[in-house]
Structure formats: structure tokens, C-alpha cells
Amino acid sequence: MNITHVGIIGAGQMGSGIAQVCAAAGLTVTLVDVSDVALERGLASIAAGLDRLVKKGTLSADDKSAAQTRIRVRADYEGLKDVDLVVEAATENLELKLKILKQLSGTVSPQAVIASNTSSISITQLAAVVTGPPRFIGIHFFNPVPLMGLVEVIRGLQTSEETAARAQAFANKLGKTPVLVRNSPGFVVNRILCPMINEAILVFQEGLATAEDIDSGMKLGCNHPIGPLALADLIGLDTLLAIMPVFSEGFGDPKYRPAPLLKEMVSAGYLGRKTRRGSYSYE
């Protein structure tokens, strides 16, 4: 089945980014959030993202306007009845995702693919609450969505071959490169990345070097485009803190325990760029 209409649950940073790339690729988008304020903020973020592409010369002003007209917003799930694929892009919280997916599976058509943008939670576990588990899959976009070329397509134990093929075709249509991976805590990229960032926070906590020097070391010594502490601020320290216990519990290995400084910064509300304070200050 050709995918022409995509539903997205959550108008935050990830949801609005997914909506932007879908609309720019010519797809009709229904963006859902419980708050009108969140929807307005999401639309503003999409407009700003499209404006940046126009300024860079990678998108025409006419194409920007056309993309914006393809986006509908709703504060309920009723607008999702005719979607071909829906992506849950809510906060990285198991109970919230389970609640959303239960509601979704009773609203969308039986033929629609249901996906989660989770960065660490078990796709097999999430699929268990969906009506028609073979149509459920993980489609993990990376932040910032309009700029990052990778999409992890994660098959749960129940996911069908057809669903996996449709998810990969969807990613290709958006101009992304899909990699097909098996369900496991953190999947592939975050399984490698998050422990590295956690270790960088431990190094910072121990006072071995400044945040700037830690990041410079990884950029100049390992050819990383961004240092791990700056990347943590971009991702959100609360998101990182939500991911690490998933690893710790999933593998039963203490090496995945979150750094004490990470927990302390989150408790203080220092979540990174979104609160203008993390390992760095953005005031």
C-alpha cells in the first residue's frame, strides 16, 4: 500500500521534525497533540525549519508554502482514521506510550502501519498492546530530524515482513537511509552512543577536564562532528536519563547505570538546550 497520509502523535521537537520532512516530501500530515499551545509551538518550529531550508537554497518559497498546506493539526485522534501510517512520537515514557498505542489501534484503519519513534523501549513490548501486532514497528528518527539522514527500522518479534518493507519504503520516500535492526534495548545507535555520552559525563564529574576540552578531545581525536557533552545538551539530559535505566534493566549490567551528575543535573532542571542550561550555559 502506498503511503500518502501520515499521522504523528506529539508536536514536540521530534514530532514537529517528522511532520516537516513528511510534508516537504509531499505527504499529507495530521499532527496530533493534547494541547493547542503545543500544536502552535510545533507549527512555529516547522515554519522556522522550512525557512532555514529556503535561506540555504535547498527549498523554494513555493515548496515551503505547499508543505505547510499539507499539515493539519488536531487535539484528538479522529483525524487519524484514514492515515496509511501513524508515528507515535511522545515523550520517552513507557506508560504514556502504551496508553497512546492502545487508543491509536482502535482509531486507525486495520491496514494502517503503527510505529513508535522510541529511542530505547522494546518494540516487542509496545506491539503487545496494539490491535494487529504484525503491523507495529519502530521507526526511530534522529534529532534534528530534517538534517539527520538515518532512520532505524526496528522489528519486534511480532512485526511482519510487509510492515518492515513499508516502513523502509516510507523512510526512503523522505530521503532518509533506513537500517533494519532487531529489537534490543537501545537498538544499535543508542546502544553505542548513550553509554559513551554517560561516560563523558562521568569524566566531567570527576574533573578530569573541562566540558570544552572533553568535547574538543572527541572532535579532534575521534573526528566526531560534535562533542558528547554538547550532544547530550542537544538531545536533552532528561531523555538520556530515561534511556540509561532501560539498558541497565534490559541487560542487567551495572555498567549502564546513569552518571550521578546526570541525575543531579536533571533534578536541578538543567536539561540542556531546551532549558538553556546543561553541561554548557546557553543564556
Side-chain angles (χ1 to χ4, degrees):
M1 183 188 294
N2 191 29
I3 293 171
T4 60
H5 185 185
V6 177
I8 299 164
I9 309 298
Q13 189 173 32
M14 293 303 294
S16 60
I18 298 167
Q20 178 184 321
V21 297
C22 288
L27 303 177
T28 299
V29 175
T30 298
L31 181 62
V32 177
D33 207 301
V34 294
S35 162
D36 289 338
V37 172
L39 288 169
E40 290 170 9
R41 192 183 301 122
L43 288 175
S45 176
I46 292 167
L50 293 171
D51 279 336
R52 283 191 289 271
L53 296 179
V54 171
K55 288 177 183 176
K56 288 171 64 177
T58 57
L59 187 74
S60 72
D62 287 344
D63 286 341
K64 175 205 166 186
S65 298
Q68 287 178 296
T69 62
R70 297 187 191 104
I71 301 173
R72 314 165 182 171
V73 294
R74 295 285 301 242
D76 56 54
Y77 293 168
E78 291 304 306
L80 302 175
K81 289 182 176 179
D82 62 345
V83 299
D84 304 306
L85 180 148
V86 60
V87 180
E88 171 274 308
T91 304
E92 195 74 354
N93 176 283
L94 175 61
E95 295 307 317
L96 176 61
K97 288 182 182 294
L98 291 173
K99 179 182 176 182
I100 290 171
L101 292 170
K102 285 178 184 177
Q103 293 175 316
L104 268 183
S105 61
T107 302
V108 300
S109 76
Q111 291 75 38
V113 172
I114 301 178
S116 175
N117 182 55
T118 179
S119 55
S120 62
I121 297 172
S122 168
I123 299 304
T124 297
Q125 184 177 9
L126 294 176
V129 302
V130 172
T131 303
R135 62 174 170 156
F136 186 79
I137 197 162
I139 302 180
H140 178 212
F141 291 85
F142 289 80
N143 185 40
V145 178
L147 300 182
M148 301 297 282
L150 179 69
V151 172
E152 281 183 315
V153 176
I154 307 107
R155 293 187 60 173
L157 188 63
Q158 311 93 319
T159 307
S160 70
E161 293 283 353
E162 179 188 357
T163 299
R166 291 181 70 190
Q168 290 176 91
F170 168 63
N172 285 324
K173 188 172 182 63
L174 302 183
K176 306 297 186 184
T177 300
V179 293
L180 187 63
V181 305
R182 185 171 57 81
N183 184 60
S184 180
F187 317 127
V188 171
V189 174
N190 279 340
R191 167 81 175 272
I192 299 167
L193 176 66
C194 291
M196 183 196 75
I197 294 175
N198 191 59
E199 193 67 26
I201 295 172
L202 283 167
V203 168
F204 184 38
Q205 172 186 310
E206 292 170 19
L208 300 185
T210 64
E212 291 83 358
D213 284 348
I214 291 168
D215 281 352
S216 292
M218 295 304 292
K219 287 192 290 183
L220 300 176
C222 300
N223 205 26
H224 290 189
I226 184 172
L229 298 178
L231 181 55
D233 283 355
L234 179 63
I235 294 169
L237 298 178
D238 54 335
T239 300
L240 181 63
L241 183 57
I243 292 172
M244 291 306 298
V246 173
F247 293 174
S248 184
E249 293 167 14
F251 295 114
D253 192 328
K255 76 176 182 180
Y256 294 111
R257 287 179 297 187
L261 179 59
L262 172 62
K263 294 192 284 187
E264 190 171 9
M265 286 195 289
V266 171
S267 295
Y270 299 166
L271 308 183
R273 287 182 177 269
K274 58 188 169 186
T275 59
R276 309 193 67 79
R277 180 75 181 269
S279 296
Y280 296 92
S281 174
Y282 301 92
E283 296 296 340

